[in-house]
Structure formats: structure tokens, C-alpha cells
Amino acid sequence: MRIQIRIVLSLASVCLGALFVHAQDNYEIQVYPSETVPRGVTMIELHNNFTAKGSKKPNDGTLATNHAWHETIEITHGFNDWFETGFYIFTSARHGSGWDFVGTHIRPRFRVPPKWHWPVGVSLSQEIGYVRRKFSADTWSWEIRPIIDKEIKRWYLSFNPAVERALNGPGAKRGFELAPNFKVAYSITKAIDGGLEYYGALGPLSGFDPKREQQHQIFPAIDLNVSPKWEFNFGVGIGMTRSTDHLIFKMIIGRRFTFGRKHVQSQDSGATARCLIIKSTRKVNRCLTNKSTRKEVAGERRSVPRSGGGWQAKVFSFGFFHLVYGSS
């Protein structure tokens, strides 16, 4: 009960602190799942984005986005089953100006733990950081991103109604702005998910911008589930207003690192399950216990028979990845 109260208070404090980011600006184009990185796991992601058709003559003193290549390094570490922190390093390259450092952001995130058994996944992300003036008129910004997602058989839905505010620069006087994102995906096979991602920037909450000044992008995208350790996402973005970059190619490559083995207490029967914990982007990977039930491990469902006693070790293989587990 104390843990639940602490989590609720943490979520509330983040919401209140939001009464202060800016659109993703094509550095990190991603609709977030509600899951956080598990305890002891470090996720390293490389966001690659190329603007094939973007702005050529910005009127705010920033560099043009046309033919700009953005590389972002994201490092996220899980501290427990409901809290993670991510750190971003933004860079940009373009013809004539070479490779530039853009800025950094930090992003703590809380989630509702799975043991609460909510009907949907819920988490809350807070992101604050700095970018150099020649890349954004607003150099300091803060984003609060509620995340709600749900798996329905082979369908996956995620909604991120982000609220952003510039802390420094001409955008600060606009107050809080709404930047909703959502994703709809379908599992075509065990290894391939196909879907659509939407990214918008509607303007201040006090009164949205005219439609022609709003930003709306649609990304047909695929996710490859080739291994529990890896994450692959590819998409092509199409801008639908004059204020939006009209054509963007994006790719996300991520790798999970786990240090040592973890002991997890089963909530089904109280048995101790020993396993190497690896988390998929949105697949629920649980340790197997001695209770006869259906569990999801490495993206596949397996039925585990009851044990007659003693500790049993088993090995589950997925390509080059091997999961060693047991129960007592």
C-alpha cells in the first residue's frame, strides 16, 4: 500500500510540475509505450531521421531542416518496475555546415505497475532540456507526456496527449501547447508489426493555431520483433500542412543490456522464479513459474506444466538469445 501511495504521489507531482517542451523537432520521432525499462536493464537507442523535404528559409533565425540528417542517442535505465530515466544527446548534419551538437534532454518516467492489474497501460513522462539557438528559437523547454496503451489480440493502440511549454525564447509567451501523438499497429506475423503513427502540434491550450499553422504528420511504420534484446522501427513521414516538414524517413535501432541475474517473486503462487529479465518494446515478458498457466516469454506463449517439487532449470532459446529459468 505504501508503494502504491508513493507512486501516485510521484505521478501527481510530475503533473503539477508540468505547469511549465517543445515538439520533437524531428530528433526523436516515437510514440511511447506505457512500459518502462525493467530494473537493472539499460536500453541504448539510436534515432536516425532524414528530412527529404523540409523548410528551406526559416524566418526565426534557425537553420533549415531541408536535407538535414538528425542523429539522437537515447540511453534509458530502469531503476524498478515503475520508474526509469532516459538521457538524450541530439546531433544534426547537413551539407555545408558539417556535423553539429544540438543539445541534451533528460526524461524521468513513472508507470502504473503491472501488479495493479489496470485494464490499460498508463505511464507519465517528463522531459526537460536545452538545444542551441541556431536549431530552435526556444532554447529551453519542458514536456509532460501522459501515455495510455492497450493490446487487443493482435492490435496495439497507444495515445500520447503531450503538453509542451517553452521556458526560454519567443514561444514562452504562448503558454502550454498540445502536441498529441498516437499509434495503431497490427501484428502481421510474430516478427513484423505494421501500423500508422501520428504526430501533431496544435498550438496553445488557450486557443489552437489556424489549421495551416498547425503541424500534422502521418508515418506508415513497421516494427521488427527479431529478438527480445533488440528494437527496430522504420517509418516514412508525410506532412499534411504547410508548417510541417513534408517528407521524413526515420529509423530507430535499440539494444537492451542486462547486468547479472535477477530474482523475481511470482505473484501467482509465491514461488521464486530465477531468470534473465529482458524486456520487449511492448511485449510482456514474464519469468516462468511452476504454476500451470500461460505466460509470454520472448514474444511467444508457452504452457508450463506443474512441478512435482524441487528446483528445475530450463532453457528457452530465441535465435542467439538464451533464457535460463527455473522454479521451486
Side-chain angles (χ1 to χ4, degrees), residues 2-272:
R2 292 180 180 176
I3 294 177
Q4 294 184 13
I5 293 174
R6 285 201 301 268
I7 295 174
V8 170
L9 291 175
S10 298
L11 291 171
S13 66
V14 172
C15 286
L16 292 174
L19 300 179
F20 257 83
V21 72
H22 203 254
Q24 290 174 319
D25 291 329
N26 301 337
Y27 291 99
E28 179 223 349
I29 307 173
Q30 182 178 22
V31 179
Y32 285 63
S34 66
E35 296 178 13
T36 53
V37 174
R39 181 199 308 265
V41 175
T42 299
M43 180 76 174
I44 299 177
E45 294 174 280
L46 182 63
H47 299 259
N48 310 269
N49 307 313
F50 177 72
T51 304
K53 188 176 182 182
S55 65
K56 296 181 179 179
K57 296 180 179 180
N59 57 9
D60 59 357
T62 61
L63 295 177
T65 62
N66 193 55
H67 291 177
W69 186 282
H70 292 167
E71 293 279 357
T72 297
I73 299 173
E74 176 184 356
I75 303 172
T76 305
H77 183 77
F79 293 92
N80 51 43
D81 65 349
W82 53 269
F83 177 68
E84 69 176 23
T85 297
F87 181 74
Y88 300 88
I89 303 171
F90 304 128
T91 68
S92 178
R94 70 197 70 230
H95 180 72
S97 61
W99 207 284
D100 280 314
F101 168 75
V102 175
T104 59
H105 279 191
I106 190 169
R107 177 189 53 77
R109 180 152 69 111
F110 303 85
R111 71 175 294 195
V112 172
K115 62 185 177 183
W116 289 14
H117 303 295
W118 282 27
V120 296
V122 176
S123 64
L124 191 62
S125 171
Q126 161 177 242
E127 185 174 330
I128 188 170
Y130 165 83
V131 295
R132 296 168 63 194
R133 175 61 182 83
K134 69 177 182 178
F135 294 99
S136 174
D138 302 320
T139 54
W140 282 92
S141 57
W142 196 346
E143 173 191 271
I144 299 297
R145 180 182 295 262
I147 302 161
I148 304 169
D149 68 354
K150 177 71 174 178
E151 285 195 65
I152 306 173
K153 295 183 179 180
R154 301 179 74 172
W155 289 93
Y156 173 73
L157 308 172
S158 181
F159 179 46
N160 299 181
V163 177
E164 308 172 342
R165 181 167 184 175
L167 302 181
N168 183 52
K173 62 184 179 182
R174 289 168 58 85
F176 305 109
E177 302 185 46
L178 181 62
N181 307 158
F182 69 78
K183 177 172 184 172
V184 179
Y186 181 79
S187 294
I188 302 170
T189 69
K190 290 181 179 180
I192 301 175
D193 293 350
L196 287 175
E197 299 174 4
Y198 163 80
Y199 302 89
L202 305 185
L205 296 178
S206 58
F208 291 162
D209 291 331
K211 289 185 178 180
R212 64 181 181 276
E213 301 299 332
Q214 297 177 10
Q215 296 184 26
H216 299 278
Q217 285 179 317
I218 294 290
F219 279 77
I222 62 171
D223 295 282
L224 302 182
N225 307 308
V226 297
S227 166
K229 286 187 176 181
W230 289 89
E231 172 187 286
F232 297 95
N233 173 268
F234 308 90
V236 179
I238 302 168
M240 297 183 290
T241 68
R242 72 176 190 180
S243 299
T244 310
D245 288 336
H246 295 306
L247 183 62
I248 297 176
F249 298 92
K250 71 151 181 164
M251 178 175 64
I252 302 172
I253 301 176
R255 175 67 159 80
R256 300 173 182 85
F257 298 89
T258 304
F259 306 100
R261 296 182 182 276
K262 304 295 177 183
H263 289 74
V264 179
Q265 188 72 22
S266 168
Q267 298 177 25
D268 292 323
S269 62
T272 299

